[in-house]
Amino acid sequence: MIYRFEDCDLDTATQEFRRAGQPIHLEPQVFSVLEYLVRNRDRVVTKIDLLDDVWGDRFVSESALTSRIKSVRSSCGDTGREQRVLRTVHGRGYRFVAAVEERRGGRATVDSTRSAPSAGSGSVVGRVDDIDRLESALAAAAAGSRQAVFVTGAPGVGKSTVVAELLERTDDADGWSVMRGQCLQQRGGTEPYFAVLDALSHLARSEGVEVVDGLERHAPSWLAQMPSLVDDERARRLQHRLLGSTSQRMLREGVEVVEGLAGTRPVILIIEDLQWADGCTLDVLELLVQRSEPASLLVIGTSRTEAGPAGDLISDLTGAGRSVEVRLGGLDDEAVDALVADWFGGPAVPDELLDVIRRRGAGIPLFVQEILATWVRRGHVNVDGEHVVLRAPVAEIEATVPEGVQQLIERQLAELDPDQVATLEAAAVVGTEFDGASTAAGLGRPLPEVEAVLGSMGRNLPYVDALGGSSWPDGTVSTRFSFTHDLYRLAVYERTSAARRAALHGAIGEAIERGHQSQIDESVTTLAHHFGYSGDNRRAVKYLTRAGERAAARSAHSHAAGYLLDALERVGQFAAGPDRNDAELQVRMALGPTLVAVRGWFGAEVSENYERAMELCDARPVPCHEAAMARYGLATVTELRGEYERTEELLLPLLDDTAGELAVETSELLACSTFHQGAFRRSFDLARTVVDSEDEIGSSVLMARMAEHPEAACNSWASLAAWFLGRSDESLLLAERAIEVGEANLYALSTARVQRAFLHQYRNEPEDCGRWADEAIALADEQGFPMRSLQAGMLRGWVEAVTGSPEAGADRIATTLERYRSVRVRLAEPYFVALEAEARLLAGDTRTAGEALDEAESITRQTSRQFFHEPELYRLRARWHIDREGAGAVDAAREALDQSMATARQLSSPPLQLRAAVDRLRLERDHGDADPWRAPVEVLVAGYAGQVEIADVLAARETLSLSE
């Protein structure tokens, strides 16, 4: 048989295709698709029809079918815009619309010329202007101008259809990469970044290694969330790079990977159903749209017009001129008439039927199409040649139309046979998109039987559409389907009894658990959803906990807290006993860092959570891993609160456990705690124990949460302790080593830089302190380490104060300290208050300086331990007395300096002793007998022999010469 249409010939006997007399090579599958469409040109061909006829039982993706359709159009000289030969019937399939002449034996035997549909090929009825706006944005994006369009409207109004039409008109020759993600409505909320991850993973699977390489280059934190795309070697690289990731990094990388892809070819990013989007997905869209740099990028979002975060974002971006909103309303009467004619394929439609549709269809395309489908299926209306014929009185036909699309769908469902209803119920439990394997598992029936039912409904009923092949990690292969509209899924789900829904959720969850065991992490939110609704609390807790851990790994701590608090509530429903305690402990250990991130270090829930975890550990008959983790977690909290005594009390049992798994982390945290207590020798020894260890130190996930790295952090603590022990040259060498280690770990580099700035402040080297503070702030702000940025900000204020702008510097310290306290961190708080006091003294504001010193001294008195900066507080107090110039000021200053010297001796700190002695020498030079103080200063200066002379030694020498 030879089919002739336009200037094309399709010869099925020789498997040849010619256009304008010239042979054109078609791939076998493209030829088969074209032949099937031509042979079945009298009807709409569904995707299921094509998959069954061309691919049979073979595994194919939706993109494979889409690419073959585009090849058919291209070979015939057609385009997605014109659709002269092949028309897309949105939500139904494809129809061959060109006039065809059949030839056998070289002569025409059948003339089967068809008329093109009245609505016009390739158009979406009533939406021409809306499509044009989308195409204008597409053209601008192709030219390198970043564009964003949000298509909004009521359910069923045609948002997805408009977007699909745009994609139909986008030819492969244009070189566009299409990323498409779907927001889902799930129990407890969708996992963070779900829709964007969905879009990226589909693109990576369709375009392969190039996209995966781009993800590793631009967005390693995102690639790590898609383990099925990562081999073992790549996984090891990612693990090393991602320690210490933050929400800012995750967000920034999500934007950068999309823009990186757009830098190689134009990209369309489509996120559908934004009304269900998680906050992290909305953050990515907002940042992508707000950036002003040119990019060949078109962002499209669809959303219902309802209040919520998505609506607010769309309003803000549109109001700021960053995006365009295409609001879809109901169709007018003329468009409804065209839609009806288009649906029937061209025959004349009686006016009385059109009147009914205009009155009852509300201008909603989905409602109109479903009304027509119901009438045809019931035999009320059919096509007879060139006319649509009524087979029942108009009043009777109109009486079949309910008030809305939801009610119509429910009536349609009531007409199905029990097997079809049961299959749809299981599919609705899986989700808007579902696969045959999950559906069959829910029903407990063979997969071929279930897919046969779904395929039949896809051909003859409006409910489902085939998307292509689907495979599970265990090798299970089935077809992936979708409800043609979520309203269908919702109607089916809500009419299913609660008991049956629970049973289906449980059976489907168990099947997914078995089939995805090797890649279970990618299914934890799905499993938590199914087991949660099935009433299987034990499994729900297991997967909610893992979902929380995965959300925390994406730095989406609010999402993580939601999962984990849900899990904790479910644990409370377990019977009392060891199993319940074990489950609660696992949840609380995951919850601890998340609560810190969400509530801050001083949140009562944080310490309560860790205290309860330790209580659960103590109730166990044998020590456990969680006991050490809980102890370390609570010690971290107390350290940042400045409760150094409690920190040491918590950590000592871990330090005494020489075989303990947290030896490195414990030593580092104790080095921090003992340093702040002024136990410089002990801090130095603890830090050097880690640095000098023969074992490979590696990285620590626990420390990464605090922007710490074992080797970098311990080099920094050893550096600071060495300075206070009078080993100034060694302190710089150790600080350099901390920076070197940090260069390979951004989270460690942030800490190393701010610690280096601290070192130069202690050394009274403002120029170096300012340089390292600025570098620390830049990196901390970029990577999202707020505590480091705040600490460095206060150091920057000190630099301003001592280099000529004392008032501005003092104000900066005060403002930044207020922010530091607002996140409930108290680490080294008296030290920062003292920096403000020093700046106020330099500004001549003795009243505020005195208040700051009072506050710093009050904080230090709240602990029985000494504070590393306490000698400096007494020294500043002496300066304050002298600056006030009141009666007894000199004697009060002498007393304060004596306290400074005595405390510095207790701390065994030569530089602190030297500063107190030099200040006393200066005081006596001006107000008494300086001679007795020359010898102590000379002895302390002599202690630095052989080292590079530091600022304090130079100042001491100058003071000695002036005191002769």
Side-chain angles (χ1 to χ4, degrees):
M1 177 72 72
I2 297 176
Y3 297 98
R4 176 166 291 172
F5 53 93
E6 294 201 336
D7 61 346
C8 302
D9 292 292
L10 181 71
D11 191 332
T12 60
T14 63
Q15 295 285 292
E16 292 179 340
F17 178 75
R18 291 178 293 277
R19 182 173 159 205
Q22 298 298 315
I24 295 179
H25 171 71
L26 296 184
E27 294 180 1
Q29 288 175 347
V30 176
F31 191 97
S32 297
V33 168
L34 177 56
E35 180 183 356
Y36 188 85
L37 290 166
V38 173
R39 283 193 288 107
N40 293 277
R41 61 191 179 277
D42 60 325
R43 65 182 178 88
V44 174
V45 173
T46 67
K47 292 179 181 178
I48 292 176
D49 292 328
L50 286 169
L51 290 170
D52 286 350
D53 185 82
V54 178
W55 284 276
D57 294 331
R58 282 173 292 172
F59 177 96
V60 294
S61 65
E62 182 183 7
S63 60
L65 176 57
T66 302
S67 69
R68 302 313 187 271
I69 292 293
K70 288 195 172 187
S71 295
V72 165
R73 285 199 174 114
S74 176
S75 301
C76 298
D78 196 10
T79 66
R81 165 180 273 279
E82 296 174 337
Q83 299 192 23
R84 299 185 325 275
V85 175
L86 181 61
R87 181 164 63 97
T88 298
V89 183
H90 293 289
R92 298 175 66 196
Y94 304 97
R95 190 164 191 175
F96 196 92
V97 295
V100 177
E101 184 182 275
E102 296 181 1
R103 286 181 171 269
R104 288 189 179 90
R107 61 188 181 84
T109 56
V110 179
D111 184 1
S112 57
T113 302
R114 283 178 42 82
S115 301
S118 59
S121 300
S123 67
V124 176
V125 172
R127 304 299 187 200
V128 174
D129 291 343
D130 302 314
I131 294 291
D132 286 345
R133 294 176 73 187
L134 282 169
E135 285 201 301
S136 295
L138 187 73
S145 175
R146 182 189 309 260
Q147 299 289 309
V149 180
F150 294 99
V151 184
T152 62
V157 80
K159 301 181 291 294
S160 295
T161 300
V162 166
V163 175
E165 176 67 15
L166 177 72
L167 296 183
E168 287 285 345
R169 299 182 177 194
T170 306
D171 295 329
D172 285 336
D174 296 332
W176 289 92
S177 279
V178 178
M179 299 169 56
R180 194 165 196 160
Q182 178 80 42
C183 302
L184 301 178
Q185 188 179 31
Q186 278 192 343
R187 182 188 185 98
T190 307
E191 62 181 291
Y193 300 105
F194 175 82
V196 186
L197 280 164
D198 184 39
L200 281 169
S201 62
H202 280 119
L203 183 69
R205 287 182 172 88
S206 63
E207 299 196 11
V209 68
E210 180 183 354
V211 176
V212 176
D213 288 344
L215 281 164
E216 184 173 12
R217 183 166 57 254
H218 295 291
S221 60
W222 286 70
L223 183 57
Q225 309 305 318
M226 297 176 269
S228 60
L229 299 177
V230 179
D231 58 28
D232 290 344
E233 176 57 32
R234 206 185 290 259
R236 281 192 292 272
R237 293 199 303 268
L238 289 174
Q239 183 180 23
H240 181 72
R241 291 178 63 188
L242 294 180
L243 287 173
S245 287
T246 61
S247 56
Q248 288 92 330
R249 175 177 180 175
M250 189 85 185
L251 175 59
R252 188 185 69 253
E253 287 186 359
V255 172
E256 287 177 353
V257 72
V258 175
E259 294 192 334
L261 292 169
T264 59
R265 57 198 179 283
V267 169
I268 303 174
L269 172 62
I270 301 168
I271 304 294
E272 298 208 63
D273 288 323
L274 287 173
Q275 73 274 0
W276 294 324
D278 61 278
C280 294
T281 291
L282 294 178
D283 288 343
V284 171
L285 291 184
E286 181 177 17
L287 189 53
L288 272 173
V289 174
Q290 284 188 334
R291 286 197 170 182
S292 57
E293 297 86 353
S296 295
L297 172 65
L298 171 60
V299 175
I300 301 176
T302 68
S303 180
R304 295 180 184 177
T305 47
E306 56 190 46
D312 294 341
L313 175 64
I314 293 169
S315 176
D316 291 344
L317 292 175
T318 303
R322 294 290 187 181
S323 65
V324 172
E325 182 178 3
V326 176
R327 285 178 175 254
L328 302 184
L331 300 177
D332 59 25
D333 288 350
E334 183 180 355
V336 169
D337 292 351
L339 177 62
V340 173
D342 184 64
W343 195 90
F344 282 114
V349 182
D351 288 341
E352 56 265 40
L353 192 66
L354 291 174
D355 287 341
V356 173
I357 292 293
R358 292 175 197 142
R359 287 197 308 272
R360 305 300 301 277
I364 303 298
L366 179 66
F367 196 15
V368 170
Q369 292 166 337
E370 292 313 309
I371 292 171
L372 296 173
T374 300
W375 285 344
V376 170
R377 193 165 56 253
R378 292 180 178 180
H380 294 326
V381 174
N382 66 8
V383 177
D384 185 1
E386 298 297 319
H387 299 279
V388 174
V389 179
L390 307 185
R391 299 299 183 186
V394 172
E396 181 181 335
I397 293 174
E398 185 169 3
T400 65
V401 183
E403 290 302 315
V405 65
Q406 189 77 29
Q407 293 77 17
L408 177 59
I409 292 171
E410 289 170 0
R411 287 190 186 181
Q412 291 172 340
L413 292 171
E415 298 175 4
L416 300 181
D417 65 53
D419 190 30
Q420 291 174 321
V421 172
T423 303
L424 285 177
E425 286 175 346
V429 167
V430 179
T432 302
E433 289 190 7
F434 57 94
D435 58 6
S438 298
T439 309
L443 296 168
R445 293 175 53 191
L447 176 58
E449 289 182 14
V450 172
E451 290 204 334
V453 175
L454 290 169
S456 174
M457 284 192 287
R459 296 182 188 92
N460 305 309
L461 295 169
Y463 306 115
V464 299
D465 191 12
L467 301 180
S470 171
S471 66
W472 287 5
D474 69 349
T476 301
V477 175
S478 63
T479 304
R480 191 161 56 95
F481 298 88
S482 172
F483 282 94
T484 50
H485 198 283
D486 191 63
L487 289 173
Y488 293 126
R489 186 203 65 82
L490 185 63
V492 173
Y493 190 83
E494 290 185 346
R495 74 194 303 271
T496 308
S497 70
R500 176 161 171 75
R501 281 203 304 254
L504 287 168
H505 275 296
I508 290 165
E510 288 177 359
I512 294 173
E513 185 179 49
R514 288 191 303 270
H516 292 74
Q517 197 60 50
S518 64
Q519 296 175 12
I520 200 70
D521 273 0
E522 295 192 35
S523 303
V524 290
T525 53
T526 299
L527 291 169
H529 170 77
H530 285 304
F531 290 128
Y533 275 107
S534 75
D536 187 342
N537 273 339
R538 292 191 178 276
R539 279 176 163 148
V541 166
K542 173 183 176 181
Y543 291 114
L544 282 168
T545 303
R546 185 64 192 121
E549 291 170 342
R550 280 175 59 80
R554 298 175 190 176
S555 300
H557 297 290
S558 293
H559 286 77
Y563 290 129
L564 294 168
L565 290 172
D566 187 0
L568 197 59
E569 183 178 347
R570 288 175 178 275
V571 167
Q573 300 173 33
F574 291 10
D579 287 348
R580 170 176 165 171
N581 290 348
D582 287 348
E584 181 183 354
L585 180 59
Q586 294 299 322
V587 176
R588 288 195 179 277
M589 292 311 302
L591 183 60
T594 293
L595 284 177
V596 169
V598 174
R599 307 285 165 81
W601 293 106
F602 267 49
E605 304 97 324
V606 176
S607 52
E608 288 172 4
N609 183 72
Y610 280 122
E611 296 280 12
R612 173 58 180 162
M614 290 177 61
E615 181 183 324
L616 290 167
C617 292
D618 291 341
R620 284 189 169 195
V622 294
C624 60
H625 162 78
E626 288 79 11
M629 297 288 286
R631 190 171 285 275
Y632 179 86
L634 185 57
T636 304
V637 173
T638 57
E639 178 70 6
L640 289 172
R641 290 177 173 181
E643 300 170 9
Y644 310 119
E645 294 168 278
R646 182 78 196 283
T647 300
E648 191 167 2
E649 173 190 324
L650 288 164
L651 291 178
L652 283 177
L654 299 182
L655 193 66
D656 292 341
D657 181 8
T658 55
E661 58 188 293
L662 297 180
V664 167
E665 290 85 351
T666 299
S667 295
E668 186 279 331
L669 189 52
L670 265 177
C672 170
S673 185
T674 51
F675 172 82
H676 287 106
Q677 295 176 54
F680 303 123
R681 168 56 64 184
R682 188 158 183 237
S683 175
F684 182 87
D685 290 344
L686 284 163
R688 291 300 308 200
T689 297
V690 175
V691 173
D692 296 338
S693 172
E694 295 181 0
D695 299 330
E696 184 178 346
I697 297 174
S699 297
S700 166
V701 174
L702 287 173
M703 292 177 63
R705 291 173 181 153
M706 292 299 303
E708 302 283 14
H709 178 280
E711 186 177 0
C714 285
N715 271 294
S716 288
W717 291 124
S719 167
L720 300 182
W723 158 255
F724 282 99
L725 292 171
R727 293 147 66 169
S728 61
D729 288 358
E730 186 178 3
S731 73
L732 287 176
L733 292 174
L734 289 165
E736 285 291 346
R737 178 57 184 159
I739 296 293
E740 289 173 10
V741 174
E743 292 290 351
N745 302 271
L746 291 178
Y747 70 92
L749 184 59
S750 173
T751 300
R753 284 180 177 177
V754 80
Q755 293 283 63
R756 183 72 181 268
F758 277 127
L759 175 63
H760 289 293
Q761 195 283 320
Y762 302 152
R763 293 169 63 99
N764 196 23
E765 297 167 344
E767 183 178 345
D768 290 328
C769 177
R771 177 166 63 88
W772 286 106
D774 289 342
E775 292 193 21
I777 291 169
L779 182 60
D781 287 348
E782 176 187 316
Q783 294 297 319
F785 302 131
M787 190 171 73
R788 301 302 177 221
S789 180
L790 293 172
Q791 289 172 329
M794 287 183 277
L795 294 175
R796 166 42 71 185
W798 174 80
V799 172
E800 292 176 9
V802 299
T803 56
S805 301
E807 187 173 348
D811 289 343
R812 177 166 183 164
I813 296 170
T815 301
T816 310
L817 179 57
E818 183 177 355
R819 290 172 55 204
Y820 188 69
R821 286 167 164 165
S822 72
V823 295
R824 300 190 171 186
V825 177
R826 296 293 185 269
L827 184 67
E829 183 182 25
Y831 163 76
F832 294 119
V833 177
L835 292 185
E836 182 189 354
E838 182 178 359
R840 297 296 181 194
L841 286 172
L842 290 169
D845 184 358
T846 55
R847 182 186 63 80
T848 308
E851 291 172 352
L853 287 171
D854 290 343
E855 181 184 6
E857 290 166 0
S858 173
I859 297 171
T860 59
R861 284 195 298 270
Q862 293 172 16
T863 175
S864 61
R865 306 290 176 89
Q866 290 181 314
F867 183 64
F868 82 100
H869 203 59
E870 196 170 344
E872 291 294 88
L873 292 178
Y874 293 128
R875 213 167 59 81
L876 287 171
R877 177 65 75 180
R879 287 174 56 183
W880 177 77
H881 284 303
I882 295 300
D883 287 353
R884 289 181 67 201
E885 299 179 344
V890 173
D891 287 340
R894 286 189 179 112
E895 182 180 350
L897 288 173
D898 286 345
Q899 288 178 301
S900 177
M901 177 66 76
T903 308
R905 288 196 189 100
Q906 290 172 2
L907 299 181
S908 300
S909 177
L912 296 182
Q913 294 177 58
L914 178 60
R915 287 180 180 173
V918 169
D919 277 9
R920 186 62 185 273
L921 177 59
R922 290 171 178 160
L923 180 67
E924 298 305 335
R925 182 189 63 197
D926 297 334
H927 300 283
D929 183 5
D931 286 343
W933 289 96
R934 290 180 55 81
V937 172
E938 290 170 346
V939 169
L940 289 165
V941 168
Y944 283 92
Q947 299 189 69
V948 175
E949 290 199 332
I950 56 176
D952 287 330
V953 169
L954 293 173
R957 291 192 187 283
E958 181 181 1
T959 302
L960 286 169
S961 66
L962 293 174
S963 302
E964 291 178 354

